[in-house]
Amino acid sequence: TIKKISVGSKVILSRLTGHSFPLSVLIAITNRCNFRCKYCNYPYRDPRNPSFEQLTKLIREFVNLGTLRFSFQGGEPLLRPDIKDILLFTKNLGVATSMISNGKLVPERLDVIRLLDEACISLDGPEEVMEANRGINTFQWAAEACRILKEEGIHFHLNCVLTKNNTNVETVRFLLEFAKKHGTRCVF
């Protein structure tokens, strides 16, 4: 509630003064990924990550501009060995954090996930659709991540990338029901 009031007051102040600021920033912190999704080009990008120092400098600069939320994405952010340090640095600045993940590493990286204000798990549809888009076992890994997040009481939502494989009523209905079953929402 206090965070919502803080965000609301900053938005009102911005409108009254005409001074804009980046309220929420999405940062791709790695191109590395443990999946090979058919629609994604991350595996073909430069595999070098920005350094911890580069990221913390950028995060501090955005916080100084008024940013209140950082969402970390990749590739797969949980592949970074220093992801916990990045989140702790950001949280220590009083800023909210979220992360987009394919879910495979969630069970073994719960120490990191617990630091987030919100997690986002990529889910493109039922098993056959998910595997057509992302590969074998990807549905089970995402579903298990959702089960664990719900069980742990970690706030999360689903993210669906729309492709020719999942732009039909049955898949959308499945995703909405899956989200409802897990007490969350799905973003398309």
Side-chain angles (χ1 to χ4, degrees), residues 126-145:
E127 187 170 6
E128 64 277 3
V129 172
M130 184 78 162
E131 291 191 355
N133 279 348
R134 296 177 181 261
I136 302 300
N137 295 323
T138 55
F139 178 82
Q140 282 83 15
W141 290 321
E144 177 65 4

Side-chain angles (χ1 to χ4, degrees), residues 110-128:
L110 266 175
D111 62 322
V112 171
I113 299 297
R114 286 182 180 121
L115 295 172
L116 298 170
D117 293 289
E118 182 175 37
C120 175
I121 301 297
S122 298
L123 187 70
D124 294 342
E127 187 170 6
E128 64 277 3

Side-chain angles (χ1 to χ4, degrees), residues 5 18 20 47 51 57 60 71 141-142 150 180:
I5 292 170
S20 299
S51 71
K57 180 180 181 204
R60 189 179 299 281
S71 184
W141 290 321
K150 182 178 180 184
K180 184 178 180 182

Side-chain angles (χ1 to χ4, degrees), residues 10 17 21 27 30 36 39 45-46 70-73 75 78 80 85 93 113 116 118 125 145:
K10 280 200 170 191
T17 64
F21 66 96
I27 300 178
T30 185
R36 293 296 177 260
Y39 50 77
R45 295 181 183 184
D46 186 341
F70 285 92
S71 184
F72 299 102
Q73 72 169 28
L78 291 173
R80 278 193 73 123
D85 295 328
L93 294 175
I113 299 297
L116 298 170
E118 182 175 37

Side-chain angles (χ1 to χ4, degrees), residues 59-121:
I59 290 166
R60 189 179 299 281
E61 287 174 4
F62 272 107
V63 169
N64 289 338
L65 291 172
T67 299
L68 299 174
R69 177 188 175 94
F70 285 92
S71 184
F72 299 102
Q73 72 169 28
E76 174 54 54
L78 291 173
L79 287 173
R80 278 193 73 123
D82 62 352
I83 185 61
K84 188 172 187 177
D85 295 328
I86 294 166
L87 292 175
L88 288 170
F89 175 84
T90 307
K91 301 286 289 175
N92 285 335
L93 294 175
V95 180
T97 59
S98 68
M99 179 188 300
I100 301 170
S101 174
N102 58 38
K104 183 177 182 185
L105 299 174
V106 166
E108 61 194 71
R109 300 299 310 268
L110 266 175
D111 62 322
V112 171
I113 299 297
R114 286 182 180 121
L115 295 172
L116 298 170
D117 293 289
E118 182 175 37
C120 175
I121 301 297

